[in-house]
Each structure stands twice: as structure tokens, then as C-alpha cells.
């Protein structure tokens, strides 16, 4: 009796493991159309700016502390976009590529800070700046072409939302 119960537990655990393993969480080839939402550049800036000064926290996804992708997820969730992947590397697989000279507020900007591929993400804020969760400063606004660090780490950008451009007040 004990053996059959144990075998049943092993079979159930195996079936559950296989179900989890083969269940898609986020498609790596998600298209921009699956994620796009409409909001204005003013709404984007105001939503992101409310988190300025929030401390950096590894794996953080709340206003008590953010990592870079957790910050991006929170801002876009606040704007009604809830289908972004969790990590910066997986976010890079979503959306439509945008050249640096065509960036608009809301575009995601990606960096290789580790030397091993995409390791940081921020949100293009406008006027050559991006807002992101920095390990040293928490949520901050930084020049994209900062010659001391970010310019050399820039990899590319993706457009994942339809943003209506509105001049800043």
C-alpha cells in the first residue's frame, strides 16, 4: 500500500512538472501588436517620474524598491500594459526595433552593462534622456549619451506602445 501511494505521488509530481515545463509563460517572439496600448507622452513621464528616488532593489517590482526591469514593468502596468516579460533580456525580444535618432518617449532602451548581452533596460523619457532604476541612484533620469558610462553600453531600442506625443508643460 505504501509503495502504490508513493508511486502515485511521483507520477503526479512528474505530470505537474511536465505541465509547468511545457506551459508558455511569455512568448519570446511576441510582436509589438500584442503589447501596444495608447497613452500620451505626458502620461508616460508623469507615471514614471512619480518613482524618482525609489531605491534600487535586486528583483524589486514595487515602489519600495525596483530593479531595472521591475521599474519598467511597474510603469507600463500603471499605464495599462501588463503583457511585458519580466527580464531586460526577454523584453529585448518584444516590440519593434527603433533607431536611436527615432526614439520617442515610451520606447525601451537596452544596455549591455555586464559584458554578456542585454543586462539593463530603461524607458526613453525624451530630450536625449531615459528614466531607469540605477543600482547606485535608484530611479533616476540620465542622459542616454552619457560619455562616462551609458553611451558605450547602449545596445538598441524597442517600441512596444503607441505613444501620442504631447509637448511637455
Amino acid at each position: 500500500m505504501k509503495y502504490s501511494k508513493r508511486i502515485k505521488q511521483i507520477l503526479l509530481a512528474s505530470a505537474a512538472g511536465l505541465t509547468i515545463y511545457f506551459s508558455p509563460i511569455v512568448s519570446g517572439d511576441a510582436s509589438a501588436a500584442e503589447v501596444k496600448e495608447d497613452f500620451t507622452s505626458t502620461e508616460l513621464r508623469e507615471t514614471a517620474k512619480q518613482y524618482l528616488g525609489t531605491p534600487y532593489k535586486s528583483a524589486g517590482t514595487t515602489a519600495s524598491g525596483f530593479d531595472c526591469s521591475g521599474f519598467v514593468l511597474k510603469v507600463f502596468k500603471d499605464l495599462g500594459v501588463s503583457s511585458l516579460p519580466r527580464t531586460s533580456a526577454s523584453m529585448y525580444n518584444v516590440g519593434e526595433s527603433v533607431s536611436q535618432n527615432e526614439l520617442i518617449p515610451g520606447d525601451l532602451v537596452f544596455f549591455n552593462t555586464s559584458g554578456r548581452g542585454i543586462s539593463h533596460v530603461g524607458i526613453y523619457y525624451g530630450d536625449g534622456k531615459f528614466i531607469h532604476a540605477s543600482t547606485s541612484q535608484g530611479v533616476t533620469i540620465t542622459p542616454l549619451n552619457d560619455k562616462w558610462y551609458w553611451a558605450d553600453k547602449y545596445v538598441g531600442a524597442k517600441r512596444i506602445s503607441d505613444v501620442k506625443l504631447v509637448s511637455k508643460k
Side-chain angles (χ1 to χ4, degrees), residues 109-156:
V109 289
F110 296 91
F111 303 86
N112 179 348
T113 58
S114 66
R116 295 181 301 252
I118 303 296
S119 53
H120 190 71
V121 62
I123 303 168
Y124 186 70
Y125 194 76
D127 300 323
K129 298 175 183 170
F130 72 107
I131 188 166
H132 62 117
S134 159
T135 56
S136 60
Q137 299 175 356
V139 176
T140 187
I141 299 173
T142 304
L144 192 58
N145 290 319
D146 170 44
K147 67 180 182 179
W148 302 108
Y149 189 75
W150 295 107
D152 291 339
K153 309 290 185 189
Y154 182 81
V155 173

Side-chain angles (χ1 to χ4, degrees), residues 10-20:
I10 291 170
L11 289 173
L12 286 173
S14 298
L18 287 171
T19 301
I20 291 169

Side-chain angles (χ1 to χ4, degrees), residues 3 9 13 30 43 66 82-84 89 96-97 117 121-122 138 154 159:
Y3 291 113
Q9 289 174 337
E43 290 171 318
F66 293 113
S82 59
S83 55
L84 283 174
E96 154 188 346
S97 293
V121 62
Y154 182 81
R159 183 157 301 148

Side-chain angles (χ1 to χ4, degrees), residues 58-127:
S58 181
T61 60
T62 68
S64 63
F66 293 113
D67 67 7
C68 64
S69 57
F71 170 67
V72 169
L73 284 172
K74 179 64 173 150
V75 169
F76 279 90
K77 184 175 182 182
D78 289 354
L79 291 166
V81 178
S82 59
S83 55
L84 283 174
R86 172 63 181 100
T87 67
S88 57
S90 58
M91 285 179 186
Y92 190 68
N93 294 321
V94 176
E96 154 188 346
S97 293
V98 179
S99 67
Q100 195 169 353
N101 62 350
E102 295 176 340
L103 289 171
I104 62 170
D107 289 341
L108 300 184
V109 289
F110 296 91
F111 303 86
N112 179 348
T113 58
S114 66
R116 295 181 301 252
I118 303 296
S119 53
H120 190 71
V121 62
I123 303 168
Y124 186 70
Y125 194 76
D127 300 323

Side-chain angles (χ1 to χ4, degrees), residues 34-79:
E34 293 174 320
V35 182
K36 286 189 175 187
E37 296 289 335
D38 290 338
F39 47 86
T40 67
S41 56
T42 300
E43 290 171 318
L44 170 86
R45 287 185 186 102
E46 289 173 0
T47 301
K49 200 166 60 172
Q50 72 180 324
Y51 298 112
L52 280 173
T54 301
Y56 180 87
K57 181 180 179 186
S58 181
T61 60
T62 68
S64 63
F66 293 113
D67 67 7
C68 64
S69 57
F71 170 67
V72 169
L73 284 172
K74 179 64 173 150
V75 169
F76 279 90
K77 184 175 182 182
D78 289 354
L79 291 166

